[in-house]
Amino acid sequence: MNFQPRSHLPATQRRLPFDCIALLLQGGGALGAYQAGVYEALAEAGIHPDWVAGISIGAINAAIIAGNPAESRVDRLRDFWTRVTSTAPWDWAGNPFLDARSENARNILNQMSAGLAAACGANGFFSARPLLPWLHAGGTTEATSFYDTVALKSTLELPGNLPEVVTRQKEIQYSSRTRASTDQFKHVQRLRRALTTLLDRIPEELREHEDVKLLNTAVSPNVYNIVHLIYRARNHEGHSKDYEFSRLSMQDHWRAGYHDALRTLRHPEVLARPVTPDGVFTFDLEHDGRE
């Protein structure tokens, strides 16, 4: 995966055996570059989501995806992540103090970049307020946060057509999913499919009963594939990885997302309709797919 712009990404929709493709993006600050890499791999495979949902940085990525034509989404994501990441002197591989093979060196550089972001902010994203929140009058915007995100508005307006989001059929929602909620969803779906089977055996004379009609509203023959792609931190990354906005780390995160998605898409069952009793198939890489 080359981080340079590429014009050969297909805009054609790949036909999959599902009624709807949804992309759910979690929060995570600087780790949002991982999501951009995942989307690049999906776009290369001709997989364009019908629904895009996100929370925090995931909502920003979702807005960029939904607010641009399919053929330019990856470039717009790249523009955003290039703009908001730091260009501090220690970012560049040519820096004499940086040995990319040294976990200790990267850890030091990451902590320096995280400290810079915490103290000053991220270009085009957020900036530190000159006064602490409790020094402002109660009820004011300044009293609610340490950082000002006004710059983000102009950054997101770069594509020029985000207002089109409201006219597109693709939706932006805010959501966060965990494995626990996935397990709960599978349990509910198993119950719904069991109910479907049971109601099919109800005698004809009982089908018009009000209780049976009510139960029929809960049945579902639908099937679902749920693919988890979760960033796995490297040894040199510490607790500050979600606000470490160096260019070097951003590119690492992007590549990790790209290769995780590529590795996932190599498994044909990921894009096939599930045949499990609950009608739900979950897929999660046991190890990261970096290459």
Side-chain angles (χ1 to χ4, degrees):
M1 196 282 292
N2 191 334
F3 193 73
Q4 298 303 313
R6 292 189 286 182
S7 59
H8 66 275
L9 294 177
T12 56
Q13 182 79 32
R14 181 174 181 177
R15 293 185 178 274
L16 298 176
F18 297 95
D19 296 330
C20 178
I21 305 297
L23 179 64
L24 307 180
L25 305 175
Q26 269 192 323
L31 298 180
Y34 176 87
Q35 301 170 357
V38 168
Y39 184 79
E40 180 180 20
L42 294 177
E44 285 186 355
I47 299 174
H48 302 289
D50 303 295
W51 288 72
V52 186
I55 185 170
S56 189
I57 192 63
I60 294 174
N61 283 332
I64 295 172
I65 292 170
N68 286 280
E71 64 274 10
S72 62
R73 290 170 180 167
V74 174
D75 286 340
R76 297 292 77 77
L77 285 168
R78 184 180 290 106
D79 289 343
F80 171 77
W81 282 101
T82 299
R83 179 167 181 176
V84 303
T85 50
S86 168
T87 55
W90 56 80
D91 271 354
W92 307 108
N95 191 293
F97 298 104
L98 173 61
D99 180 358
R101 296 167 298 179
S102 170
E103 293 285 351
N104 290 334
R106 279 300 303 274
N107 178 265
I108 293 172
L109 297 180
N110 282 16
Q111 294 305 317
M112 292 170 63
S113 294
L116 180 64
C120 303
N123 181 49
F125 193 169
F126 64 92
S127 59
R129 297 189 187 280
L131 296 177
L132 297 175
W134 51 82
L135 297 178
H136 291 279
T140 62
T141 301
E142 292 79 5
T144 62
S145 66
F146 287 93
Y147 300 100
D148 186 347
T149 59
V150 170
L152 180 61
K153 181 178 179 181
S154 60
T155 298
L156 290 180
E157 287 176 347
L158 282 176
N161 65 347
L162 277 180
E164 294 180 11
V165 172
V166 297
T167 64
R168 292 178 183 268
Q169 293 182 352
K170 298 180 179 180
E171 304 290 334
I172 299 178
Q173 294 182 336
Y174 300 89
S175 172
S176 178
R177 295 293 185 266
T178 64
R179 288 189 179 89
S181 62
T182 299
D183 292 341
Q184 177 65 20
F185 175 77
K186 291 181 68 174
H187 177 69
V188 171
Q189 186 63 12
R190 182 184 287 268
L191 293 177
R192 295 173 75 183
R193 289 173 69 88
L195 181 60
T196 301
T197 302
L198 181 62
L199 290 178
D200 286 341
R201 299 174 181 173
I202 294 290
E204 191 65 34
E205 61 271 19
L206 296 179
R207 293 183 182 274
E208 295 303 314
H209 193 281
E210 291 302 317
D211 288 342
V212 175
K213 290 182 179 180
L214 177 62
L215 290 173
N216 268 311
T217 63
V219 302
S220 174
N222 294 336
V223 296
Y224 303 85
N225 272 13
I226 301 175
V227 181
H228 289 280
L229 289 174
I230 302 172
Y231 179 72
R232 291 170 171 82
R234 299 189 178 189
N235 293 334
H236 62 259
E237 294 181 293
H239 62 85
S240 61
K241 59 182 178 293
D242 57 339
Y243 61 93
E244 197 273 286
F245 282 88
S246 70
R247 184 72 49 75
L248 190 60
S249 291
M250 180 274 288
Q251 292 175 346
D252 285 345
H253 297 156
W254 186 298
R255 292 188 186 96
Y258 178 84
H259 287 300
D260 280 358
L262 281 186
R263 183 182 173 198
T264 297
L265 292 174
R266 292 189 189 122
H267 295 263
E269 64 269 27
V270 169
L271 301 181
R273 291 176 69 85
V275 293
T276 53
D278 55 16
V280 181
F281 173 78
T282 57
F283 188 92
D284 190 357
L285 287 174
E286 183 178 355
H287 304 289
D288 67 79
R290 297 169 195 152
E291 298 177 350

